[in-house]
Each structure stands twice: as structure tokens, then as C-alpha cells.
């Protein structure tokens, strides 16, 4: 352990966390917390445990009130939070499971496979409907808003008093954003942001509270509508991915725990393993609906989301993605009174590049690569600025009312900056019929002309991207593009992380398209044969890919998404080179935006490989010990006491043959979960009741599936004093073949086994097969490669 740098934290890892699965004392920046005073260093509040309070100095009632309302919540990203538990991606092959499998016929297994395809089809269909609903509502509300502001501007341009138009624009933006922020901050905070980091963590095996609830879906959809209509620098694609995942999690279970309705279908899929695969399909369906990119959706789920994959899953996810795109296009064609026209590429329409773009030349490849490097630098700058801004928000803007006020402030500032840019811009362009500007503003331009800056600011972000891609050369002058890029870059950076439902894809593409088009114009200016560089839309596309790649660090999936969304495979190679360059350059400075926010939430996320210099560490050094074990036949009172122990809150327990006392571990014969024990206690599965005259029904896997996923807390189960003296036989319900490793197994081998199999608990045994420790997700996630070599993060109740 000499080569490990230990980080100092507010909490230490002790026997309370022996099993590695704890509960939260502080829910991020908004939960209930315990604070201790630093009496020697001023009025600084620190997160910690009750045991760190100075008991020698009495705390008065007034001081307690002050302590309960901190103005600042310190944050340290070098911690791992204990409020996150793991999902059970490893099936428990106990006797109940084996008996059920024996009873199933060949046709039974075929029906299960058919049901999986049916569920994926339903996921795609419902996700497409949600995307259609969002698109129609945003189109109508944004149209009303922009027409109202446009008429107001045109009126006061002639008579004076444009400040009234500015106030109207800022007021409308603030009202929409206030509604979207209130429902997120006060009703479902997990719906904030894009949701992609949370879904990524869920698919990695981390149980994120409330991330796939029906309430989250409703707030997400309403929130993103308000955010986009409110004029924020946001996109709809991230919330669509989250929405698809929530739909998948709900449909696959055949019931709604929120509505307390059970449709008695798909009961076999009520376990984490099956649910995970369907959530992967939902995320892909969300991408497909957003961009009209079924293949890109599959690759996104593979590259950015799913941690576990198989061949059949690929085809089912592709089917869900295709169904999502088809459903969206079908209903949009009906809405636009073009039945049968399924050519709409998706929720976010970039337009087609077949007719208005020229092919690239080989000597442009180095230029594209240079643009990729620039995108990587700008993306890294964006991520660094957003990182420090998020730290500030965690520390100071942690109350819902403050979060709503900040969102409204950003909405008003966005409208003000947009208005100022349009007002002071003298870039007037002739109104061409082919360009079909949605809301052209004449302002101080001559008749038959429109303000070019307005076509970028006075629009929804995806329409602005389409204009930058497809407007004819000469539609923007360099100063307009430069000012727009600079202002929108900082607006988007400020906006991402607000307590609203919002994505970062479209703002990133818009920033990149602006400086990419500027890049193309400057190339034509500095070269003698400007006709070679005549198509600025080509460079807008490359710049958009470079900027987005520099921020989110996606490569293969983003290439296919861009190709599918633009309908032109010609630029596949340049886009791939640009994205690879942006990722390499960006990774040199800082991580991708999603990884940064995962780390800021202190989530125990497991990457693909263990730290490079961790081979000297063994399972003995990383495991949690001593372990709490049960005998094969255990006293009910003992089980209740262990489960009720709030200081540990373990979720997995080795079952041993000869567990006599705490000094000598017993020989391992199985593993049983907290959720299983709670179901057994709820149904009173005691040895004495089985032997008595009471005709007790034999427990089946259906009983465990019915309780999934919200297993009742141990406090809700009543056990009488007489029942505490009864015995419980765990043989039939425990997993008799849990995965185990010897004490001397290296950390990389332990990591690979744990990560590849999606385990929640890995038992460490000695030479005599005695359980001496448990390895959980947090035991592995706390080791990472830092600037000073292998570093060990501390576990904290945050």
C-alpha cells in the first residue's frame, strides 16, 4: 500500500461500511445533512458524522437553527458517496430459480424471447410518441412566442421604445423557464439536466434513486418543453434519451409502482438484469427519435451507455430504434397533413446535404483535423468552466428557490444578450425565398432584407443549426459569426447544470457550426482561389462535429448520428477524423462533460479497466472485513437485528456452515441478499411454521418479483417476540454458488471479474473456503490513477 496516495476527507472508512453498501445521510446538495462546527477556524460548515462534533461545547437552540441552514455546503470531488447502492446484475441461481427453469418448456422460453421483442417494440413506439408530443408542443409554443415578440419589435422599431420589446422577450422567457425549473426543483430534482450521466451510471450498475420513475418522465418532458420554449441554450436530445430509458423501465415491468397498477404481464422481466437490457433499448430509442438515427442510437447505447452487451441485444435495440423513428415520422406526417411522407429525419432536423453541399478534397483533410484539434481545446475550456460553475452551484445554490431564481436569471440574460446582439448588428442580408427563414426580423435593415444575427438568436437552437448548415454563402458576415460564437459559448456553459431539463448536444453543435462556418469564410478570404472553399456549410458541419466531440468525447456513435441526421455518408471519414482528434486533444486537458458530472456526484462508477498501476494490490487489501454472515439455519431474531442495524445497512450476507462466533469465520456455502431476507420475513418462512399443522404455501420466485423493485423496509415488517425465537432455513433461497476469489488475487483480476459479470458482491475466501471479506463496487471504485500515482478515495456519507 506504500504506492497509494490517500486523500483526506470528512469521513473515514470504518467497520460501519464493512459490506460496502450504505445509505445516505446527505442527498447531494439538497438533502438533510449533519454539520459540525469548526470552532478554531471561523464559521465554516463541514460535512461529517455525528461522532466528529465537539461534545465539550454545548450547542444552543439558536446555533442549531443556524447549523441547519448553511449558506455554503463544502464539496470535495475526491470522495465516493455512500448514498448510491448497486444493482443486482447477477442472477441468483438458488433452488427456486432452478425449479422454475425445470418447469418451463421449450415453448415457454420461445414465448419469453417473443415477449422481449414485443417489449422493445412498445418501447420504441411510446418513445416516438413522446418525441412527437414534444416536437409539436415546442413548435406551437415557440411559434406563438416568437411571432408575438416579432410583431412587438416591428411595431416599436417604427415608433421607438424597443426596450418594451426587450422586456417582453425577457419576461416570456423567464415565465416559461420558471415553470420548467419549479417542477424540477420542487417536484423531481433528478429530472434536471440531460439525464445522460444518470442513465450511464444506471447501466453501469449503480442504483440512482428515482431515475426511472413515472414522475421523473412527466417532469422531464414538461421541463424540456419549457426550457426550449424559454429560449435557453439547450437541446431536446438528452431528455429524450432519459425519457426513453424511463419508458423502457416502466413498460418492461408490466406495471406502474407509482400508479399502483399491476397489469400482470412481463412478470419474468422483474429483475435488474432484464430491466438493464430494456433501459439500454430505451436510451437508443431516445437517440433515434431525436436525430432520426437508428444505427446511431444502437452505437450510442453501446459506446456511451451500456456496460454489458450481447449479440441478440443488438438486434432488439435496433428494432426499438427503428420503431421509435418510424412512429415519430408517421405521426408528424399526419400532423403536418402529409400522410405517408416518412422522410422527416427526426425530432432534431439538420436538413439533408445531398443537393446543397459539395464533396471535400483530400488536401482538406489536414484542415479538418486542425478543426478537430480546435474543437478539442474549446470543448476542454467549456468543460473546465462548467466544472467550476457546478462546484459553485453545489456550494451556494443548493436550495430550490435559489435554483429557480438562477434559472430565471439565465433566461432573462439570454434574452437580453440576444436582443443586444441583434440590435447592434448591421449585418443585413437579402431575404431569399429558398432560405425560408422562420422568423425574419427586419429591424433597421432595408425593405426586402433581414437581420442576419436574428436568424441565429431569434430561433430555436436546432433551427439555427439548420440555417448555419444550409444558408447560401454570404448569408453571414464574419463579425456576426464571431460575436455569436463568443456569446453563445458562455451562455451554453452557464446554462448546462441549471435546475431545468436540458441537453447539451444542440448548443454544442450550434457553437461549432458558427465557428466552423466562420472558419470556412476566412479560408475563402485568405486564399486566391476562393471558389474552392465556396461552401461554408461544409465547414459548419465539421465545426459542429468538432465542438460536440470536444465536449462529450464521443466518436463512433456520433459519427453515425451525424451521417444519419444529415443524410450524407460522404462526410463520414472527415467527421470520424475530426471526432477522434477532438477526443484525443480534449482528453489531454480534462475529461468529457458527462464523466465530470458523474465524478462531481461522487458516484462509484466502474470504468472499463482497473487503474494501470494497481497490480500490486490484492483482494485482501481492498476487501471490506470483517463480514456479517448467517448460518444456513439462522435464528429469526438475529436476522431482524442485523437488518435493523442502521449503522451498517448491509445488502449482501455470506451464508456459512459453521458460524459460531465473531472471532472465527465459517466455511462459505452461499450468499443471500437483504431483499430476499425481507421477503422471507414478510411471508413468515420459518422452520417451525413449516413443521406445524399450518398449511403454509411454498414460496416461489413470483413472490420476490412482486416485491421488486421497492422492497419494504425492515421497519415495516412486524416480528413478534415469539417469532424472534423461531429459526429460518436459508438453504432454498440463498445463491449456493456465489463468485469467490482467493485473498491473494490482484486488483485488476478482481476488477475484471466484478465488472464483466456485473456483480454486486464478490466473496473473498481463504485457503479453507472461509469467508474473510466482501468486495463491493465502492471497494473497487475508490482506486484511481491520479497525478501522484495510484490514489485512494475516501468513502463519505454525502
Amino acid at each position: 500500500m506504500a504506492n497509494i496516495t490517500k486523500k483526506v476527507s470528512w469521513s473515514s472508512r470504518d467497520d460501519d461500511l464493512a459490506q460496502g453498501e450504505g445509505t445516505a445521510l446527505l442527498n447531494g446538495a439538497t438533502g438533510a445533512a449533519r454539520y459540525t462546527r469548526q470552532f478554531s477556524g471561523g464559521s465554516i460548515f463541514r460535512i461529517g458524522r455525528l461522532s466528529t462534533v465537539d461534545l465539550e461545547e454545548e450547542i444552543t437552540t439558536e446555533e442549531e437553527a443556524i447549523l441547519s441552514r448553511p449558506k455554503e455546503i463544502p464539496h470535495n470531488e475526491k470522495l465516493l458517496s455512500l448514498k448510491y447502492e448497486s444493482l443486482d446484475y447477477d442472477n441468483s441461481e438458488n433452488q427456486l430459480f432452478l425449479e422454475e427453469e425445470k418447469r418451463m418448456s421449450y415453448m415457454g422460453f420461445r414465448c419469453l424471447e417473443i415477449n422481449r421483442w414485443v417489449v422493445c417494440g412498445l418501447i420504441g413506439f411510446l418513445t416516438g410518441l413522446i418525441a412527437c408530443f414534444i416536437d409539436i408542443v415546442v413548435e406551437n409554443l415557440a411559434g406563438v412566442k416568437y411571432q408575438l415578440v416579432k410583431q412587438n419589435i416591428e411595431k416599436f422599431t417604427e415608433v421607438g421604445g424597443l426596450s418594451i420589446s426587450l422586456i417582453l422577450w425577457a419576461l416570456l422567457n423567464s415565465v416559461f423557464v420558471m415553470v420548467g425549473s419549479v417542477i424540477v426543483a420542487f417536484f423531481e430534482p433528478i429530472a434536471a439536466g440531460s439525464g445522460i450521466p444518470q442513465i450511464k451510471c444506471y447501466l453501469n450498475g449503480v442504483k440512482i434513486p428515482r431515475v426511472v420513475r413515472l414522475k421523473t418522465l412527466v417532469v422531464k418532458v414538461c421541463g424540456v418543453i419549457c426550457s426550449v420554449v424559454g429560449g435557453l441554450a439547450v437541446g431536446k436530445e438528452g431528455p429524450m434519451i432519459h425519457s426513453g430509458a424511463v419508458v423502457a423501465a416502466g413498460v418492461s415491468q408490466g406495471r406502474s409502482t407509482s400508479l399502483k397498477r399491476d397489469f400482470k404481464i412481463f412478470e419474468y422481466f422483474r429483475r435488474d438484469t432484464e430491466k438493464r437490457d430494456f433501459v439500454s433499448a430505451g436510451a437508443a430509442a431516445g437517440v433515434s427519435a431525436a436525430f432520426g438515427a437508428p444505427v446511431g442510437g444502437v452505437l450510442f447505447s453501446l459506446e456511451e451507455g451500456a456496460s454489458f452487451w450481447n449479440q441478440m441485444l443488438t438486434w432488439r435495440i435496433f428494432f426499438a430504434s427503428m420503431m421509435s423513428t418510424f412512429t415519430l415520422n408517421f405521426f408528424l406526417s399526419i400532423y403536418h397533413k402529409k400522410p405517408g411522407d416518412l422522410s422527416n429525419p427526426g425530432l432534431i432536423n439538420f436538413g439533408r446535404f445531398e443537393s446543397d453541399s459539395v464533396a471535400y478534397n483530400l488536401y482538406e483533410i489536414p484542415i479538418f483535423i486542425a478543426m478537430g484539434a480546435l474543437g478539442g481545446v474549446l470543448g476542454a475550456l467549456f468543460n473546465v468552466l462548467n466544472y467550476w460553475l457546478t462546484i459553485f452551484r453545489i456550494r451556494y445554490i443548493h436550495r430550490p428557490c435559489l435554483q429557480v431564481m438562477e434559472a430565471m436569471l439565465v433566461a432573462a440574460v439570454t434574452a437580453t444578450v440576444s436582443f443586444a446582439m441583434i440590435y447592434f448588428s448591421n449585418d443585413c442580408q437579402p431575404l431569399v425565398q429558398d432560405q425560408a427563414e422562420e422568423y425574419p426580423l427586419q429591424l433597421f435593415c432595408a425593405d426586402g432584407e433581414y437581420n442576419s444575427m436574428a436568424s441565429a438568436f431569434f430561433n430555436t437552437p436546432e433551427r439555427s443549426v439548420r440555417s448555419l448548415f444550409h444558408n447560401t454563402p454570404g448569408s453571414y458576415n464574419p463579425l456576426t459569426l464571431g460575436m455569436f460564437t463568443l456569446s453563445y459559448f458562455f451562455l451554453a456553459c452557464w446554462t448546462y447544470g441549471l435546475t431545468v431539463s436540458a441537453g447539451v448536444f444542440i448548443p454544442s453543435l450550434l457553437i461549432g457550426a458558427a465557428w466552423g462556418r466562420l472558419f470556412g469564410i476566412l479560408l475563402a478570404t485568405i486564399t486566391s482561389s476562393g471558389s474552392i472553399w465556396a461552401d461554408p456549410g461544409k465547414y459548419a458541419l465539421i465545426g459542429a462535429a468538432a465542438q460536440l466531440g470536444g465536449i462529450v468525447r464521443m466518436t463512433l456513435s456520433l459519427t453515425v448520428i451525424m451521417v444519419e441526421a444529415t443524410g450524407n455518408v460522404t462526410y463520414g471519414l472527415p467527421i470520424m477524423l475530426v471526432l477522434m482528434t477532438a477526443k484525443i486533444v480534449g482528453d489531454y486537458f480534462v475529461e468529457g462533460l458527462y464523466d465530470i458530472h458523474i465524478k462531481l456526484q461522487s458516484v462509484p462508477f466502474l470504468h472499463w479497466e482497473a487503474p494501470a498501476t494497481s497490480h500490486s494490490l490484492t483482494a485482501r487489501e481492498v476487501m471490506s472485513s470483517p463480514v456479517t454472515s448467517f448460518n444456513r439455519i439462522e435464528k429469526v431474531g438475529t436476522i431482524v437485528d442485523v437488518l435493523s442495524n442502521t449503522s451498517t445497512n448491509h445488502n449482501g450476507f455470506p451464508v456459512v456452515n459453521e458460524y459460531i462466533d465473531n472471532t472465527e469465520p465459517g466455511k462459505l456455502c452461499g450468499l443471500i441478499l437483504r431483499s430476499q431476507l425481507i421477503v422471507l420475513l414478510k411471508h413468515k418462512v420459518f422452520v417451525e411454521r413449516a413443521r406445524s399443522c399450518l398449511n403454509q404455501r411454498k414460496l416461489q420466485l413470483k413472490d420476490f418479483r412482486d416485491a421488486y423493485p421497492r422492497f419494504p423496509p425492515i421497519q415495516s415488517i412486524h416480528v413478534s417476540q415469539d417469532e424472534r425465537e423461531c429459526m429460518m432455513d436459508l438453504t432454498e433461497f440463498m445463491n449456493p454458488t456465489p463468485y469467490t476469489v482467493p485473498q491473494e488475487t490482484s486488483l485488476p483480476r478482481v476488477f475484471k471479474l466484478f465488472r464483466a459479470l456485473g456483480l454486486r458482491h464478490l466473496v473473498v475466501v481463504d485457503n479453507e473456503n472461509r469467508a474473510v471479506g466482501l468486495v463491493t463496487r465502492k471497494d473497487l471504485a475508490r482506486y484511481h490513477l491520479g497525478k501522484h500515482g495510484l490514489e485512494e478515495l475516501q468513502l463519505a456519507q454525502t
Side-chain angles (χ1 to χ4, degrees):
M1 298 290 284
N3 62 333
I4 299 177
T5 303
K6 292 210 174 186
K7 295 292 180 181
V8 179
S9 73
W10 296 295
S11 299
S12 61
R13 181 171 177 270
D14 54 21
D15 292 339
D16 284 353
L17 312 174
Q19 305 296 107
E21 300 286 349
T23 47
L25 294 181
L26 176 68
N27 184 12
T30 59
R34 293 177 179 175
Y35 300 90
T36 110
R37 282 178 53 187
Q38 183 185 16
F39 295 102
S40 59
S43 56
I44 299 176
F45 293 99
R46 288 194 165 185
I47 304 173
R49 296 191 180 166
L50 194 59
S51 58
T52 62
V53 178
D54 188 351
L55 298 177
E56 306 234 341
E57 182 168 340
E58 184 178 354
I59 299 178
T60 65
T61 306
E62 293 181 0
E63 287 176 326
E64 283 183 351
I66 296 174
L67 290 172
S68 65
R69 299 193 304 272
K71 294 181 180 179
E72 174 186 354
I73 292 184
H75 182 266
N76 187 350
E77 71 278 8
K78 299 296 185 180
L79 299 175
L80 281 184
S81 176
L82 288 169
K83 72 179 179 182
Y84 299 109
E85 298 181 4
S86 295
L87 295 165
D88 293 309
Y89 286 167
D90 179 40
N91 292 327
S92 178
E93 297 181 351
N94 54 24
Q95 291 184 20
L96 297 183
F97 176 83
L98 298 177
E99 289 171 3
E100 182 185 68
E101 198 173 62
K102 289 178 182 177
R103 290 194 301 267
M104 289 187 67
S105 63
Y106 172 77
M107 285 304 299
F109 284 108
R110 295 294 297 174
C111 287
L112 279 178
E113 189 61 27
I114 292 172
N115 283 341
R116 290 189 178 96
W117 285 90
V118 171
V119 170
C120 286
L122 287 173
I123 291 168
F125 176 75
L126 293 175
T127 304
L129 279 182
I130 291 172
C132 183
F133 173 77
I134 291 175
D135 188 58
I136 292 173
V137 174
V138 167
E139 180 181 339
N140 284 278
L141 289 180
V144 171
K145 185 193 82 168
Y146 285 120
Q147 286 295 346
L148 184 62
V149 176
K150 181 176 183 291
Q151 293 171 4
N152 195 273
I153 290 177
E154 290 174 347
K155 172 185 175 182
F156 286 105
T157 301
E158 299 176 358
V159 301
L162 278 173
S163 57
I164 298 177
S165 301
L166 168 61
I167 293 173
L168 175 64
W169 191 358
L171 184 62
L172 288 174
N173 277 13
S174 299
V175 169
F176 279 114
V177 171
M178 180 189 70
V179 174
S181 183
V182 165
I183 61 176
V184 171
F186 289 95
F187 293 98
E188 197 55 88
I190 195 65
S194 67
I196 294 178
Q198 288 83 358
I199 297 302
K200 188 175 179 179
C201 292
Y202 182 91
L203 295 174
N204 188 258
V206 182
K207 185 178 182 180
I208 306 294
R210 309 185 66 84
V211 73
V212 288
R213 297 277 183 89
L214 177 62
K215 184 179 176 182
T216 304
L217 174 64
V218 174
V219 173
K220 198 82 179 182
V221 171
C222 297
V224 72
I225 290 172
C226 292
S227 300
V228 175
V229 176
L232 292 177
V234 299
K236 296 175 281 192
E237 76 302 320
M240 271 310 308
I241 295 168
H242 191 180
S243 299
V246 179
V247 168
V251 170
S252 64
Q253 303 305 291
R255 67 177 177 187
S256 171
T257 51
S258 299
L259 300 178
K260 296 180 173 57
R261 291 291 302 274
D262 192 340
F263 300 99
K264 303 296 182 182
I265 57 175
F266 309 137
E267 293 178 318
Y268 184 83
F269 302 142
R270 293 176 184 177
R271 49 179 175 165
D272 288 336
T273 311
E274 297 282 354
K275 194 173 181 179
R276 171 199 68 202
D277 292 345
F278 290 122
V279 169
S280 299
V287 174
S288 181
F291 294 100
V295 178
V298 175
L299 292 176
F300 172 85
S301 190
L302 173 60
E303 178 183 6
E304 196 68 16
S307 297
F308 313 95
W309 205 261
N310 61 64
Q311 187 177 13
M312 284 306 298
L313 184 61
T314 304
W315 289 108
R316 290 201 298 269
I317 289 180
F318 180 68
F319 176 61
S321 300
M322 287 292 295
M323 182 63 72
S324 175
T325 304
F326 175 81
T327 303
L328 172 66
N329 293 342
F330 177 76
F331 284 101
L332 283 181
S333 69
I334 293 176
Y335 174 75
H336 293 297
K337 298 180 180 180
K338 297 178 181 179
D341 180 12
L342 304 181
S343 60
N344 191 331
L347 188 66
I348 297 167
N349 185 358
F350 291 147
R352 300 293 176 177
F353 270 75
E354 290 97 347
S355 59
D356 59 351
S357 293
V358 296
Y360 62 92
N361 298 292
L362 287 179
Y363 52 78
E364 292 181 272
I365 294 293
I367 300 175
F368 294 155
I369 293 176
M371 292 178 70
L374 178 59
V377 173
L378 292 176
L381 176 62
F382 184 99
N383 292 355
V384 168
L385 293 175
N386 189 261
Y387 166 81
W388 288 111
L389 183 59
T390 305
I391 290 287
F392 177 84
R393 285 182 173 130
I394 291 174
R395 288 177 174 171
Y396 299 103
I397 312 177
H398 48 80
R399 293 184 182 178
C401 56
L402 294 177
Q403 294 167 343
V404 172
M405 290 172 63
E406 186 199 14
M408 293 176 65
L409 174 64
V410 174
V413 169
T414 301
T416 304
V417 170
S418 302
F419 186 88
M421 288 289 180
I422 296 171
Y423 183 85
F424 291 107
S425 173
N426 57 2
D427 183 9
C428 296
Q429 302 292 337
L431 190 59
V432 181
Q433 186 66 30
D434 294 340
Q435 295 183 190
E437 297 294 333
E438 294 286 345
Y439 313 107
L441 279 180
Q442 181 180 353
L443 213 62
F444 303 117
C445 297
D447 291 340
E449 293 183 339
Y450 71 98
N451 189 299
S452 183
M453 183 71 82
S455 66
F457 272 116
F458 197 69
N459 234 327
T460 55
E462 55 267 19
R463 283 175 173 166
S464 299
V465 173
R466 194 160 66 244
S467 298
L468 289 168
F469 280 175
H470 298 290
N471 279 7
T472 57
S475 299
Y476 301 90
N477 68 37
L479 181 61
T480 298
L481 293 173
M483 294 299 295
F484 175 79
T485 300
L486 185 65
S487 57
Y488 206 81
F489 180 91
F490 290 105
L491 285 175
C493 186
W494 189 12
T495 303
Y496 189 78
L498 290 176
T499 312
V500 294
S501 298
V504 74
F505 270 54
I506 295 303
S508 305
L509 290 171
L510 184 51
I511 295 167
W515 68 255
R517 192 176 181 101
L518 174 62
F519 195 90
I521 293 173
L522 295 179
L523 276 177
T525 304
I526 63 177
T527 56
S528 56
S529 55
S531 59
I532 298 178
W533 324 97
D535 184 36
K538 171 173 57 178
Y539 288 91
L541 175 64
I542 298 300
Q547 184 65 51
L548 180 55
I551 291 175
V552 301
R553 310 293 161 76
M554 293 161 53
T555 52
L556 181 61
S557 59
L558 189 53
T559 301
V560 177
I561 289 172
M562 296 291 289
V563 167
E564 288 186 283
T566 57
N568 194 330
V569 74
T570 306
Y571 293 99
L573 175 62
I575 290 174
M576 172 58 82
L577 292 175
V578 164
L579 291 174
M580 290 177 62
T581 305
K583 176 176 172 56
I584 292 170
V585 173
D587 284 342
Y588 178 80
F589 297 103
V590 69
E591 292 177 300
L593 187 63
Y594 298 144
D595 291 329
I596 287 175
H597 279 261
I598 289 173
K599 185 175 290 186
L600 285 172
Q601 294 173 31
S602 302
V603 178
F605 187 88
L606 295 182
H607 295 278
W608 288 104
E609 299 289 343
T613 60
S614 59
H615 287 80
S616 59
L617 288 175
T618 63
R620 185 202 306 272
E621 295 166 295
V622 303
M623 69 183 184
S624 301
S625 63
V627 293
T628 302
S629 303
F630 290 129
N631 289 316
R632 185 190 291 266
I633 300 179
E634 187 60 82
K635 191 176 179 181
V636 172
T638 302
I639 295 176
V640 172
D641 291 341
V642 170
L643 296 182
S644 302
N645 188 350
T646 56
S647 64
T648 54
N649 198 34
H650 302 329
N651 284 282
F653 306 91
V655 180
V656 296
N657 276 325
E658 305 166 350
Y659 191 76
I660 302 173
D661 54 40
N662 292 328
T663 59
E664 190 70 21
K667 290 188 177 181
L668 180 71
C669 64
L671 182 74
I672 194 162
L673 302 176
R674 165 183 287 267
S675 58
Q676 294 173 306
L677 291 171
I678 286 178
V679 173
L680 296 179
L681 289 171
K682 180 181 178 181
H683 289 273
K684 312 293 184 184
V685 185
F686 307 146
V687 174
E688 288 76 6
R689 288 173 65 92
R691 292 174 182 172
S692 66
C693 298
L694 296 174
N695 188 15
Q696 187 175 13
R697 179 179 67 85
K698 181 178 172 61
L699 217 60
Q700 297 180 345
L701 277 184
K702 182 181 183 301
D703 298 296
F704 294 90
R705 290 173 183 147
D706 287 343
Y708 175 87
R710 301 186 194 178
F711 295 97
I714 184 62
Q715 292 79 11
S716 67
I717 298 175
H718 175 70
V719 179
S720 66
Q721 193 61 40
D722 291 338
E723 289 174 335
R724 287 180 60 89
E725 300 302 321
C726 294
M727 304 299 290
M728 182 182 290
D729 189 352
L730 306 179
T731 306
E732 190 178 5
F733 311 102
M734 70 181 185
N735 182 4
T737 56
Y739 290 98
T740 63
V741 291
Q743 297 180 85
E744 303 306 321
T745 308
S746 67
L747 175 59
R749 295 181 71 87
V750 173
F751 190 99
K752 187 178 296 184
L753 179 65
F754 195 98
R755 175 70 166 71
L757 297 176
L759 303 181
R760 185 177 186 180
H761 303 95
L762 182 60
V763 185
V764 181
V765 296
D766 60 12
N767 295 332
E768 298 181 9
N769 198 38
R770 293 180 297 190
V772 295
L774 270 182
V775 175
T776 63
R777 168 177 296 272
K778 300 179 185 73
D779 296 315
L780 299 176
R782 62 194 177 95
Y783 294 99
H784 77 114
L785 195 62
K787 295 180 180 179
H788 306 289
L790 191 64
E791 297 178 349
E792 179 183 358
L793 307 181
Q794 295 298 310
L795 304 179
Q797 303 275 17
T798 61

